[in-house]
Amino acid sequence: MTGRVLGVDVGAVRVGVALSDPAGVLATPLVTLDRDETTWSDLDRLTDLVAEHEVVEVVVGLPRTLAGREGPAAQAALGYADDLREVFDERGVSGVPVTMADERLSTVTAGRMLSDRGVKGRAQRRVIDQAAAVEILQTWLDARRAAP
């Protein structure tokens, strides 16, 4: 399948979003959304981004433990993906699959990369979620291309 893919890093406060190129080769940061469990405006905004960028699939990071188990953070991400599917159905974009992708250490990797580039402190907190979303999406894109 070719087309743009959206990568999502779900956090308790923010949601990082990355977008692939149309060929599905390179992930780039797109936006960081404030998480809003009252009005679900972040889910509405994701739906808008799917339509705006003609996204063919959404990949949500699944933060498993190092032992591969699904703890509270993973359950929250799974619930978020379910909520996103429901909003997609309500808004008429039900043909776009929402896929879960293992994201162990994506935030740690993103933080190291930002530190290596000289981004620290408050500046890093503003972009860490987008960088984690890029890490999640790029890893997923690379694995998909490597699969036979």
Side-chain angles (χ1 to χ4, degrees):
M1 176 187 333
T2 59
R4 292 185 184 271
V5 179
L6 207 64
V8 179
D9 177 53
V10 180
V13 177
R14 289 176 301 275
V15 177
V17 183
L19 183 67
S20 78
D21 64 312
V25 174
L26 183 64
T28 57
L30 185 60
V31 67
T32 299
L33 306 173
D34 290 326
R35 184 104 185 256
D36 186 348
E37 295 185 56
T38 304
T39 66
W40 302 105
S41 60
D42 51 321
L43 295 171
D44 287 335
R45 182 69 181 118
L46 281 171
T47 305
D48 293 342
L49 291 170
V50 165
E52 177 183 339
H53 295 284
E54 299 178 349
V55 168
V56 298
E57 188 164 358
V58 176
V59 176
V60 176
L62 181 63
R64 292 189 168 116
T65 67
L66 290 177
R69 295 188 180 94
E70 293 180 4
Q75 293 304 316
L78 288 164
Y80 193 87
D82 286 342
D83 292 340
L84 187 56
R85 288 181 192 100
E86 188 175 315
V87 171
F88 281 4
D89 287 344
E90 290 171 2
R91 301 259 318 261
V93 288
S94 55
V96 176
V98 177
T99 305
M100 303 305 294
D102 190 340
E103 67 142 306
R104 279 177 262 196
L105 301 177
S106 65
T107 301
V108 172
T109 303
R112 284 188 188 142
M113 182 266 306
L114 290 170
S115 290
D116 290 348
R117 293 184 180 172
V119 181
K120 299 190 186 318
R122 286 181 181 256
Q124 190 178 91
R125 284 195 301 267
R126 286 195 301 266
V127 296
I128 190 81
D129 300 294
Q130 287 179 45
V134 168
E135 181 69 23
I136 291 163
L137 181 55
Q138 190 64 59
T139 300
W140 185 86
L141 292 169
D142 292 347
R144 183 178 71 170
R145 275 197 325 277

